PDB file of all heavy atoms in Angstrom:
ATOM      1  N   LYS C 347       7.179  14.974  17.017  1.00  0.00           N
ATOM      2  CA  LYS C 347       8.318  14.124  16.719  1.00  0.00           C
ATOM      3  C   LYS C 347       8.030  12.685  17.110  1.00  0.00           C
ATOM      4  O   LYS C 347       8.350  11.759  16.390  1.00  0.00           O
ATOM      5  CB  LYS C 347       9.575  14.628  17.418  1.00  0.00           C
ATOM      6  CG  LYS C 347      10.128  15.895  16.812  1.00  0.00           C
ATOM      7  CD  LYS C 347      11.412  16.290  17.456  1.00  0.00           C
ATOM      8  CE  LYS C 347      11.921  17.580  16.828  1.00  0.00           C
ATOM      9  NZ  LYS C 347      13.139  18.046  17.435  1.00  0.00           N
ATOM     10  N   LEU C 348       7.416  12.503  18.276  1.00  0.00           N
ATOM     11  CA  LEU C 348       7.072  11.166  18.737  1.00  0.00           C
ATOM     12  C   LEU C 348       6.094  10.511  17.770  1.00  0.00           C
ATOM     13  O   LEU C 348       6.247   9.362  17.390  1.00  0.00           O
ATOM     14  CB  LEU C 348       6.461  11.233  20.142  1.00  0.00           C
ATOM     15  CG  LEU C 348       6.001   9.912  20.743  1.00  0.00           C
ATOM     16  CD1 LEU C 348       7.187   8.976  20.907  1.00  0.00           C
ATOM     17  CD2 LEU C 348       5.336  10.146  22.082  1.00  0.00           C
ATOM     18  N   THR C 349       5.099  11.259  17.334  1.00  0.00           N
ATOM     19  CA  THR C 349       4.116  10.721  16.395  1.00  0.00           C
ATOM     20  C   THR C 349       4.789  10.341  15.085  1.00  0.00           C
ATOM     21  O   THR C 349       4.516   9.291  14.529  1.00  0.00           O
ATOM     22  CB  THR C 349       2.999  11.752  16.149  1.00  0.00           C
ATOM     23  OG1 THR C 349       2.417  12.088  17.390  1.00  0.00           O
ATOM     24  CG2 THR C 349       1.937  11.181  15.248  1.00  0.00           C
ATOM     25  N   ASN C 350       5.673  11.188  14.586  1.00  0.00           N
ATOM     26  CA  ASN C 350       6.376  10.866  13.344  1.00  0.00           C
ATOM     27  C   ASN C 350       7.144   9.555  13.471  1.00  0.00           C
ATOM     28  O   ASN C 350       7.100   8.714  12.598  1.00  0.00           O
ATOM     29  CB  ASN C 350       7.353  11.977  12.971  1.00  0.00           C
ATOM     30  CG  ASN C 350       6.718  13.034  12.103  1.00  0.00           C
ATOM     31  OD1 ASN C 350       5.653  12.832  11.551  1.00  0.00           O
ATOM     32  ND2 ASN C 350       7.389  14.157  11.990  1.00  0.00           N
ATOM     33  N   GLU C 351       7.885   9.409  14.581  1.00  0.00           N
ATOM     34  CA  GLU C 351       8.683   8.213  14.772  1.00  0.00           C
ATOM     35  C   GLU C 351       7.806   6.981  14.911  1.00  0.00           C
ATOM     36  O   GLU C 351       8.087   5.943  14.324  1.00  0.00           O
ATOM     37  CB  GLU C 351       9.577   8.372  15.998  1.00  0.00           C
ATOM     38  CG  GLU C 351      10.675   9.403  15.809  1.00  0.00           C
ATOM     39  CD  GLU C 351      11.418   9.715  17.093  1.00  0.00           C
ATOM     40  OE1 GLU C 351      11.293   8.942  18.058  1.00  0.00           O
ATOM     41  OE2 GLU C 351      12.130  10.728  17.116  1.00  0.00           O
ATOM     42  N   GLN C 352       6.707   7.097  15.665  1.00  0.00           N
ATOM     43  CA  GLN C 352       5.802   5.964  15.832  1.00  0.00           C
ATOM     44  C   GLN C 352       5.151   5.601  14.503  1.00  0.00           C
ATOM     45  O   GLN C 352       5.076   4.431  14.146  1.00  0.00           O
ATOM     46  CB  GLN C 352       4.722   6.284  16.866  1.00  0.00           C
ATOM     47  CG  GLN C 352       5.228   6.289  18.286  1.00  0.00           C
ATOM     48  CD  GLN C 352       4.160   6.726  19.273  1.00  0.00           C
ATOM     49  OE1 GLN C 352       3.167   7.329  18.893  1.00  0.00           O
ATOM     50  NE2 GLN C 352       4.375   6.413  20.539  1.00  0.00           N
ATOM     51  N   GLN C 353       4.674   6.607  13.788  1.00  0.00           N
ATOM     52  CA  GLN C 353       4.018   6.341  12.513  1.00  0.00           C
ATOM     53  C   GLN C 353       5.003   5.750  11.514  1.00  0.00           C
ATOM     54  O   GLN C 353       4.648   4.868  10.737  1.00  0.00           O
ATOM     55  CB  GLN C 353       3.386   7.623  11.963  1.00  0.00           C
ATOM     56  CG  GLN C 353       2.184   8.055  12.761  1.00  0.00           C
ATOM     57  CD  GLN C 353       1.690   9.440  12.376  1.00  0.00           C
ATOM     58  OE1 GLN C 353       2.447  10.255  11.886  1.00  0.00           O
ATOM     59  NE2 GLN C 353       0.415   9.687  12.613  1.00  0.00           N
ATOM     60  N   LEU C 354       6.228   6.233  11.529  1.00  0.00           N
ATOM     61  CA  LEU C 354       7.230   5.703  10.616  1.00  0.00           C
ATOM     62  C   LEU C 354       7.544   4.244  10.950  1.00  0.00           C
ATOM     63  O   LEU C 354       7.662   3.405  10.055  1.00  0.00           O
ATOM     64  CB  LEU C 354       8.499   6.557  10.682  1.00  0.00           C
ATOM     65  CG  LEU C 354       9.522   6.331   9.589  1.00  0.00           C
ATOM     66  CD1 LEU C 354       8.882   6.497   8.218  1.00  0.00           C
ATOM     67  CD2 LEU C 354      10.676   7.287   9.733  1.00  0.00           C
ATOM     68  N   LYS C 355       7.647   3.921  12.241  1.00  0.00           N
ATOM     69  CA  LYS C 355       7.881   2.525  12.646  1.00  0.00           C
ATOM     70  C   LYS C 355       6.721   1.638  12.203  1.00  0.00           C
ATOM     71  O   LYS C 355       6.927   0.538  11.705  1.00  0.00           O
ATOM     72  CB  LYS C 355       8.055   2.428  14.166  1.00  0.00           C
ATOM     73  CG  LYS C 355       9.391   2.902  14.665  1.00  0.00           C
ATOM     74  CD  LYS C 355       9.476   2.762  16.172  1.00  0.00           C
ATOM     75  CE  LYS C 355      10.750   3.368  16.710  1.00  0.00           C
ATOM     76  NZ  LYS C 355      10.815   3.314  18.172  1.00  0.00           N
ATOM     77  N   ILE C 356       5.498   2.130  12.391  1.00  0.00           N
ATOM     78  CA  ILE C 356       4.320   1.361  11.991  1.00  0.00           C
ATOM     79  C   ILE C 356       4.321   1.150  10.486  1.00  0.00           C
ATOM     80  O   ILE C 356       4.070   0.041   9.996  1.00  0.00           O
ATOM     81  CB  ILE C 356       3.023   2.068  12.457  1.00  0.00           C
ATOM     82  CG1 ILE C 356       2.908   1.996  13.970  1.00  0.00           C
ATOM     83  CG2 ILE C 356       1.797   1.460  11.796  1.00  0.00           C
ATOM     84  CD1 ILE C 356       1.834   2.896  14.561  1.00  0.00           C
ATOM     85  N   MET C 357       4.614   2.215   9.729  1.00  0.00           N
ATOM     86  CA  MET C 357       4.644   2.109   8.275  1.00  0.00           C
ATOM     87  C   MET C 357       5.693   1.092   7.831  1.00  0.00           C
ATOM     88  O   MET C 357       5.428   0.247   6.977  1.00  0.00           O
ATOM     89  CB  MET C 357       4.952   3.475   7.657  1.00  0.00           C
ATOM     90  CG  MET C 357       4.867   3.524   6.143  1.00  0.00           C
ATOM     91  SD  MET C 357       6.281   2.948   5.159  1.00  0.00           S
ATOM     92  CE  MET C 357       7.611   3.952   5.704  1.00  0.00           C
ATOM     93  N   LYS C 358       6.877   1.154   8.412  1.00  0.00           N
ATOM     94  CA  LYS C 358       7.929   0.213   8.039  1.00  0.00           C
ATOM     95  C   LYS C 358       7.523  -1.217   8.376  1.00  0.00           C
ATOM     96  O   LYS C 358       7.788  -2.143   7.607  1.00  0.00           O
ATOM     97  CB  LYS C 358       9.240   0.577   8.732  1.00  0.00           C
ATOM     98  CG  LYS C 358       9.914   1.785   8.126  1.00  0.00           C
ATOM     99  CD  LYS C 358      11.229   2.079   8.801  1.00  0.00           C
ATOM    100  CE  LYS C 358      11.896   3.290   8.169  1.00  0.00           C
ATOM    101  NZ  LYS C 358      13.187   3.581   8.782  1.00  0.00           N
ATOM    102  N   GLN C 359       6.857  -1.401   9.513  1.00  0.00           N
ATOM    103  CA  GLN C 359       6.392  -2.733   9.905  1.00  0.00           C
ATOM    104  C   GLN C 359       5.342  -3.243   8.926  1.00  0.00           C
ATOM    105  O   GLN C 359       5.382  -4.390   8.508  1.00  0.00           O
ATOM    106  CB  GLN C 359       5.843  -2.714  11.339  1.00  0.00           C
ATOM    107  CG  GLN C 359       5.421  -4.076  11.843  1.00  0.00           C
ATOM    108  CD  GLN C 359       6.565  -5.070  11.897  1.00  0.00           C
ATOM    109  OE1 GLN C 359       7.720  -4.722  12.139  1.00  0.00           O
ATOM    110  NE2 GLN C 359       6.252  -6.328  11.655  1.00  0.00           N
ATOM    111  N   HIS C 360       4.384  -2.366   8.560  1.00  0.00           N
ATOM    112  CA  HIS C 360       3.359  -2.761   7.592  1.00  0.00           C
ATOM    113  C   HIS C 360       3.974  -3.128   6.248  1.00  0.00           C
ATOM    114  O   HIS C 360       3.570  -4.113   5.619  1.00  0.00           O
ATOM    115  CB  HIS C 360       2.327  -1.642   7.388  1.00  0.00           C
ATOM    116  CG  HIS C 360       1.362  -1.481   8.510  1.00  0.00           C
ATOM    117  ND1 HIS C 360       0.753  -2.534   9.133  1.00  0.00           N
ATOM    118  CD2 HIS C 360       0.886  -0.373   9.108  1.00  0.00           C
ATOM    119  CE1 HIS C 360      -0.050  -2.087  10.076  1.00  0.00           C
ATOM    120  NE2 HIS C 360       0.021  -0.777  10.085  1.00  0.00           N
ATOM    121  N   LEU C 361       4.948  -2.345   5.809  1.00  0.00           N
ATOM    122  CA  LEU C 361       5.604  -2.616   4.532  1.00  0.00           C
ATOM    123  C   LEU C 361       6.347  -3.955   4.591  1.00  0.00           C
ATOM    124  O   LEU C 361       6.245  -4.775   3.676  1.00  0.00           O
ATOM    125  CB  LEU C 361       6.555  -1.480   4.167  1.00  0.00           C
ATOM    126  CG  LEU C 361       7.198  -1.561   2.799  1.00  0.00           C
ATOM    127  CD1 LEU C 361       6.138  -1.561   1.697  1.00  0.00           C
ATOM    128  CD2 LEU C 361       8.158  -0.398   2.595  1.00  0.00           C
TER     129      LEU C 361
END
Side-chain angles (χ1 to χ4, degrees):
K347 288 184 181 178
L348 178 62
T349 303
N350 270 345
E351 291 171 15
Q352 287 175 342
Q353 289 170 334
L354 193 55
K355 284 180 186 177
I356 290 168
M357 186 278 302
K358 285 182 179 181
Q359 184 62 32
H360 285 316
L361 186 60

